[in-house]
């Protein structure tokens, strides 16, 4: 079985490959990635020499490149992670989000449609986000039946790609499965997202920027729990179905930043106040969704998936990972990370 993983050099994709490549020596894994600023091949150093792993540099927004990969590797399963993934960047410059997330997904679907004619046992697993559902008020949960109502160019582009995947199932019978997951955290996350931004800034004594009032709520899930859920859906989920994945773990941003300061202080042998005093409230993100919360009862009931990490264990592991991997941090600091962090918030979001 040949499994083509798109975006496998990014945060979730590399965790997925690190989990599965050693576990399934009988399967071949092909990692297709454009290597944008968010990619890091060093995330894959533990598996890069394994005989069932191959890396191929490819831009999914370029149809000819995609078709070449399909002709060469004839994949049986596609696990589609590749995307522009950061909401703030989509506000500053939406074009890349349209190219990669919409046109790129379309190209992959087309390549499958053309190369899988009359072939059984194939799967296109589309990895998506809870942000497609828009914002919740104080109560309620996103279910698989919640209407799409995206707020940012990022979430609109992901919603569009979900619609394309579903349309290819209904129109062409393409073997599609979709998962919509809440906020992930864990090792290898590029420090533009909330948790690693806070960890790295706190360690450097820099301001901890909280957008608006800090009352926005997200539902956090440890990254390997997400990867295991995806694998479970690939193995046991029904074709044409959507599965929501979440941690049942809602936090306001201000509470999570306090929590990070406390765990960091414990791990680094400092006082939580040393870090909490760095908290700085900044201008709000335009179109900032108030609250996300996932109802995961379908995947729990039908596929018996449950997260393994609690927020206590997951956050501690994550902070420990950033403390133990100063080389990884030093290597990314000079490039796009520095450029992004040097922009003040207003310049970042226009
Ligand atoms: P990431 O930004 O860390 O990684 C994205 C990867 O895709 C990078 O390796 C990048 O080089 C690659 N890529 C980007 N454009 C490409 C292109 N045109 N061609 C080929 N490769 C390209 O993202 P992530 O956080 O790992 O997210 C992975 C997927 O999971 C995305 O589809 C995202 O929408 C979804 N998701 C993320 C979260 C989260 O909390 N991070 C939650 C739910 C769903
Ligand atoms: O819900 C799933 C989504 O989670 C994924 O689809 C996206 O790819 C992923 O980026 C993430 O989107 P968010 O916008 O929720 O994540 P982010 O880490 O950017 O922000 C989390 C919350 O923290 C959000 O309410 C904005 C706030 N925030 C973020 C940053 C980076 C701050 O207050 N300060 C910050 O510096």
């Amino acid at each position: 079985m040949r499994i083509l993983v798109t975006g496998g050099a990014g945060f979730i994709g590399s965790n997925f490959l690190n989990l599965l490549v050693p576990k399934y020596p009988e399967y071949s894994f092909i990692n297709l990635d454009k290597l944008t600023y968010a990619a890091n091949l060093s995330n894959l150093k533990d598996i890069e020499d394994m005989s069932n792993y191959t890396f191929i540099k490819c831009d999914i927004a370029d149809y000819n490149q995609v078709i070449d990969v399909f002709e060469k590797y004839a994949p049986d399963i596609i696990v589609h992670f590749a995307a522009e993934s950061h909401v703030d960047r989509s506000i500053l410059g939406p074009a890349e989000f349209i190219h990669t997330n919409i046109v790129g997904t379309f190209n992959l679907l087309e390549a499958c449609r053309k190369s899988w004619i009359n072939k059984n046992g194939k799967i296109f697993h589309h990895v998506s986000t809870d942000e497609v559902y828009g914002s919740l008020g104080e109560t309620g949960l996103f279910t698989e039946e919640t209407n799409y109502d995206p707020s940012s160019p990022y979430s609109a582009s992901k919603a569009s790609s979900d619609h394309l995947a579903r349309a290819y199932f209904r129109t062409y019978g393409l073997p599609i499965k979709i998962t919509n997951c809440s906020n992930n955290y864990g090792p290898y996350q590029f420090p533009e997202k909330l948790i690693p931004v806070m960890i790295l800034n706190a360690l450097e004594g820099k301001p901890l920027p909280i957008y608006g009032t800090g009352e926005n709520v997200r539902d956090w899930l440890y990254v390997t729990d997400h990867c295991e859920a995806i694998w479970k859906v690939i193995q046991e989920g029904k074709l044409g179905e959507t599965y929501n994945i979440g941690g049942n773990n809602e936090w306001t941003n201000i509470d999570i930043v306090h929590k990070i300061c406390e765990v960091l202080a414990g791990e680094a042998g400092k006082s939580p106040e040393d870090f909490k005093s760095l908290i700085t409230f900044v201008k709000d993100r335009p179109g900032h969704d108030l609250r996300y919360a996932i109802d995961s009862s379908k995947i729990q009931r039908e596929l018996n998936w449950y997260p393994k990490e609690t927020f206590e264990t997951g956050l501690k592991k994550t902070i420990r990972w950033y403390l133990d991997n100063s080389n990884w941090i030093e290597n990314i600091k000079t490039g796009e990370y520095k450029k992004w962090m040097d922009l003040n918030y207003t310049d970042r979001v226009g």
Side-chain angles (χ1 to χ4, degrees), residues 84-88 128-131 154 158 181-184 189 192-195 197-198 208-212 214 216-220 253 257 282 285 288-290 292 345 348:
E84 287 293 336
S85 69
H86 192 43
V87 173
D88 295 336
S128 193
T129 167
D130 59 359
E131 297 202 11
Y154 163 71
K158 290 298 291 188
C181 188
S182 62
N183 288 60
N184 284 214
Q189 187 165 33
E192 62 188 353
K193 310 279 171 31
L194 180 73
I195 290 183
V197 163
M198 296 301 154
L208 307 181
I210 299 197
Y211 303 167
N216 303 68
V217 173
R218 298 290 182 266
D219 170 2
W220 293 92
N253 293 335
V257 173
V282 299
R285 172 187 279 175
H288 197 175
D289 288 331
L290 176 68
Y292 303 147
Y345 185 70
R348 280 188 215 166

